């Protein structure tokens, strides 16, 4: 019998789709939702399920940014064949995404027992939500928001890409929150920071989903819940991406900071009173 039903998978897919690219921690919200539904958050199959349905959200990015991705890949392939084309920013950017993904892959493989063990805790999620809120607020206040997407450099990509490790080790910190905060500290504007976060998340999250697929299928989650959760995640994430890009063009990240603190404090209360364990 599957540890996650199709109905629960639909709910978790919706939560994943809404929160994956908002700087509020999709992992944290998934763990909270799983806990409220009585699903064991540290079960290998559940962890695998969470990684797999992320692929639905990533698919939404691929579809939403299809033209940008084709442009970047075309420039990269052309540059591999024709040295004179390697000055193009899109060619360089493609390599930067590849290089910036290496740190999180190495840490993810090396620290997997820790990530799926002691750090897979709702107490860690609560603390990370609150601490990450402070980081995000400071980054947004300190940033001069003066650099656009065309001004990004190899250094920017490596620093922003490496910051994903924070979310990997501390579920609740938020991959989007970590990458956007780092980009803001590098003085990128909010839209550029958000788009860079999207692009850098594609290989890391896709790789995680594929890597965890064997655990999700082999230890308690059937194909039906996986398919349902992934499809719902795709649809909801597409709408979430569209909304977020419009929102950050005109607003600060303060609303997300406040929301994260509220959720973090609420989670601490639920844990402290024994409602969640």
């Amino acid at each position: 019998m599957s540890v996650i039903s199709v109905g629960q998978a639909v709910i978790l897919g919706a939560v994943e789709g809404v929160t994956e690219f908002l700087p509020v921690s999709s992992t944290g919200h998934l763990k909270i939702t799983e806990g409220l539904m009585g699903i064991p958050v540290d079960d290998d199959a559940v962890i695998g399920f969470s990684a797999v349905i992320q692929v639905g959200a990533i698919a939404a990015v691929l579809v939403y940014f299809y033209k940008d991705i084709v442009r970047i890949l075309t420039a990269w392939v052309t540059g591999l064949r024709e040295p004179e084309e390697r000055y193009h920013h899109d060619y360089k950017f493609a390599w930067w995404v590849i290089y910036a993904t290496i740190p999180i892959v190495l840490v993810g493989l090396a620290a997997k027992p820790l990530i799926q063990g002691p750090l897979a805790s709702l107490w860690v999620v609560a603390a990370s939500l609150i601490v990450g809120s402070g980081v995000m607020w400071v980054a947004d206040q300190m940033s001069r928001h003066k650099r656009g997407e065309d001004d990004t450099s190899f250094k920017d990509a490596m620093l922003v890409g490496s910051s994903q490790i924070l979310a990997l080790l501390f579920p609740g910190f938020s991959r989007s929150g970590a990458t956007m905060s780092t980009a803001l500290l590098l003085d990128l504007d909010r839209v550029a920071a958000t788009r860079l976060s999207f692009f850098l998340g594609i290989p890391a999250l896709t790789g995680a989903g594929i890597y965890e697929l064997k655990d999700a299928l082999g230890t308690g989650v059937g194909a039906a819940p996986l398919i349902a959760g992934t499809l719902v995640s795709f649809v909801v994430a597409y709408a979430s991406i569209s909304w977020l890009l419009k929102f950050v063009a005109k607003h600060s990240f303060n609303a997300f900071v406040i929301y994260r603190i509220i959720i973090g404090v609420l989670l601490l209360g639920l844990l402290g009173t024994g409602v969640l364990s």
Side-chain angles (χ1 to χ4, degrees):
M1 182 178 178
S2 174
V3 297
I4 297 176
S5 68
V6 172
Q8 290 173 328
V10 169
I11 295 172
L12 292 172
V15 172
E16 164 64 25
V18 170
T19 60
E20 180 59 56
F21 301 110
L22 301 185
V24 297
S25 176
S26 62
T27 301
H29 280 73
L30 284 173
K31 287 186 179 295
I32 293 170
T33 306
E34 290 162 0
L36 290 173
M37 291 193 296
I39 299 171
V41 299
D42 57 352
D43 185 281
D44 285 344
V46 176
I47 293 172
F49 172 84
S50 299
V52 171
I53 63 173
Q54 286 179 333
V55 176
I58 291 300
V61 174
L62 295 176
V63 173
Y64 193 91
F65 292 107
Y66 172 76
K67 292 182 180 179
D68 296 287
I69 293 171
V70 169
R71 188 190 74 242
I72 292 169
L73 287 177
T74 300
W76 183 64
V77 173
T78 303
L80 292 176
R81 297 196 311 260
E82 304 173 19
E84 65 273 11
E85 294 295 324
R86 295 174 186 173
Y87 70 90
H88 199 291
H89 184 269
D90 286 338
Y91 171 81
K92 297 177 183 177
F93 184 76
W95 277 115
W96 297 345
V97 171
I98 294 172
Y99 293 144
T101 303
I102 294 175
I104 191 174
V105 171
L106 295 177
V107 173
L109 293 174
K112 184 178 179 181
L114 187 63
I115 295 167
Q116 296 188 351
L119 294 178
S121 161
L122 290 176
W123 288 100
V124 174
V125 170
S128 299
L129 278 166
I130 296 171
V131 172
S133 300
V135 173
M136 187 182 302
W137 183 82
V138 169
D140 203 16
Q141 296 300 310
M142 290 182 61
S143 178
R144 289 178 286 180
H145 308 287
K146 68 176 184 177
R147 300 170 58 209
E149 188 174 350
D150 292 337
D151 300 319
T152 54
S153 65
F154 174 68
K155 175 185 175 183
D156 296 330
M158 288 302 298
L159 290 174
V160 174
S162 297
S163 70
Q164 295 178 106
I165 294 172
L166 286 171
L168 182 67
L169 295 177
F170 305 106
F173 201 97
S174 169
R175 189 200 64 80
S176 295
T179 52
M180 290 178 190
S181 296
T182 303
L184 289 173
L185 289 172
L186 294 169
D187 289 331
L188 270 69
D189 63 47
R190 294 187 185 97
V191 174
T194 303
R195 285 174 59 88
L196 183 59
S197 174
F198 286 147
F199 289 125
L200 289 174
I202 291 173
L205 294 177
T206 302
I210 294 173
Y211 182 78
E212 296 287 356
L213 182 60
K214 63 183 187 302
D215 289 336
L217 289 174
T219 57
V221 178
L226 279 174
I227 293 171
T230 303
L231 287 176
V232 172
S233 172
F234 168 81
V235 173
V236 177
Y238 190 93
S240 179
I241 293 167
S242 178
W243 176 84
L244 179 60
L245 287 171
K246 294 174 183 176
F247 180 85
V248 298
K250 299 180 180 179
H251 302 86
S252 72
F253 287 125
N254 288 344
F256 297 118
V257 170
I258 295 171
Y259 173 79
R260 287 171 58 104
I261 293 174
I262 292 173
I263 293 297
V265 171
L266 176 62
L267 181 54
L268 287 176
L270 292 173
L271 290 168
T273 56
V275 176
L276 289 178
S277 62

